[in-house]
Amino acid sequence: MCIRDSLKRDRKNSKVHLELAAMTDLNLYEQLVKNGLQNADSIGLNEQETGSLIKYLSTGELQERESSRLNINHIFQDIVDLIKLFRIRNIPVSRIHLHTLNTQVICSTSKWGDQRVSLAKAMLLAVRLACGHYNLNATKLVLDAPQTYLLPHLNGVVETRAFDPSRPIVQWNPTEEFTCFGAPQFYVRRPVRTQGLGDNISSVGLVYSSSKAQFTK
């Protein structure tokens, strides 16, 4: 209860970001939804955490995904499914940053600034940290870019858009409230670092999110 009270107090003068972690305890998920998500403005999570959260919000059960290299269009569908479940559960989160090995996407409402730069900076940091240095060697980078983006909407419509390598970040509005920015992520086959990547990726994304409020993370 102390954490919930602290989050409520912080939200009066700042925006609260919650970075998820892998969990297998149903009681922890219950507390996460009741005391965490209900008092957060922004969340960051990877594909396994997204899959587990969607499963829990849908059925009350947990399910972890095995693959860490999901198709980018699958990731886009996941984040829209999460927006839908948040609406059903009256969860007030207004910004979601989903980061995976080969994809990043940020969806937010008008409470936040344009997330295009936020996404680009987070993606650049991710590959630099994974490589272990800031001087990137293009020969070691991999990009799983789709030929066509499949952009889901909350009403069930799926918009198709060709991938443009000169403009890799795609923008669409799955609902009237949310605007999403997504793109394939460069990655290395043999990363030198993976621990703590999610925290760093989300933190940089927040720094460039153009929100007028201060952050609590």
Side-chain angles (χ1 to χ4, degrees):
M1 296 303 145
C2 291
I3 295 177
R4 182 189 64 189
D5 294 341
S6 176
L7 291 174
K8 286 183 176 180
R9 183 176 62 251
D10 288 338
R11 287 189 75 195
K12 292 179 180 179
N13 300 307
S14 63
K15 280 185 168 63
V16 174
H17 177 82
L18 180 64
E19 189 70 19
L20 271 64
M23 297 184 293
T24 57
D25 189 321
L26 282 172
N27 291 327
L28 288 178
Y29 264 89
E30 181 181 352
Q31 293 302 316
L32 169 68
V33 173
K34 182 179 179 180
N35 299 318
L37 295 180
Q38 289 291 349
N39 294 289
D41 299 283
S42 171
I43 65 169
L45 66 176
N46 63 26
E47 67 278 10
Q48 284 91 0
E49 294 152 5
T50 301
S52 293
L53 184 57
I54 288 174
K55 183 70 174 181
Y56 176 77
L57 292 175
S58 301
T59 68
E61 301 176 352
L62 294 183
Q63 173 181 311
E64 292 190 13
R65 293 191 175 151
E66 297 179 358
S67 175
S68 61
R69 292 185 59 192
L70 297 177
N71 180 279
I72 186 171
N73 292 318
H74 193 166
I75 296 298
F76 288 172
Q77 183 62 60
D78 276 354
I79 200 166
V80 173
D81 288 345
L82 207 53
I83 291 172
K84 179 179 181 180
L85 289 167
F86 283 179
R87 174 181 287 188
I88 292 172
R89 291 291 197 100
N90 293 317
I91 294 173
V93 169
S94 57
R95 180 181 180 275
I96 305 170
H97 187 174
L98 204 174
H99 41 75
T100 79
L101 173 67
N102 61 349
T103 303
Q104 286 199 45
V105 55
I106 300 176
C107 296
S108 64
T109 68
S110 59
K111 294 180 180 180
W112 302 82
D114 189 314
Q115 299 297 293
R116 197 187 318 265
V117 174
S118 175
L119 181 72
K121 291 292 186 179
M123 296 179 77
L124 182 59
L125 179 77
V127 70
R128 282 175 167 171
L129 289 179
C131 288
H133 51 76
Y134 271 52
N135 297 320
L136 301 177
N137 184 343
T139 62
K140 295 182 179 180
L141 301 180
V142 181
L143 184 68
D144 293 332
Q147 291 185 337
T148 304
Y149 285 127
L150 302 178
L151 309 175
H153 294 253
L154 208 62
N155 60 7
V157 173
V158 177
E159 177 185 355
T160 60
R161 204 176 301 173
F163 172 74
D164 183 354
S166 66
R167 289 175 167 266
I169 296 180
V170 65
Q171 174 185 350
W172 84 103
N173 294 84
T175 72
E176 292 183 359
E177 298 88 3
F178 276 87
T179 299
C180 296
F181 295 92
Q185 166 75 60
F186 275 109
Y187 64 94
V188 290
R189 296 191 185 279
R190 295 182 179 179
V192 299
R193 175 181 177 182
T194 58
Q195 185 177 9
L197 280 181
D199 292 338
N200 284 279
I201 290 169
S202 285
S203 295
V204 168
L206 285 172
V207 169
Y208 289 93
S209 66
S210 302
S211 173
K212 295 180 180 179
Q214 305 256 338
F215 293 110
T216 300
K217 184 176 184 291

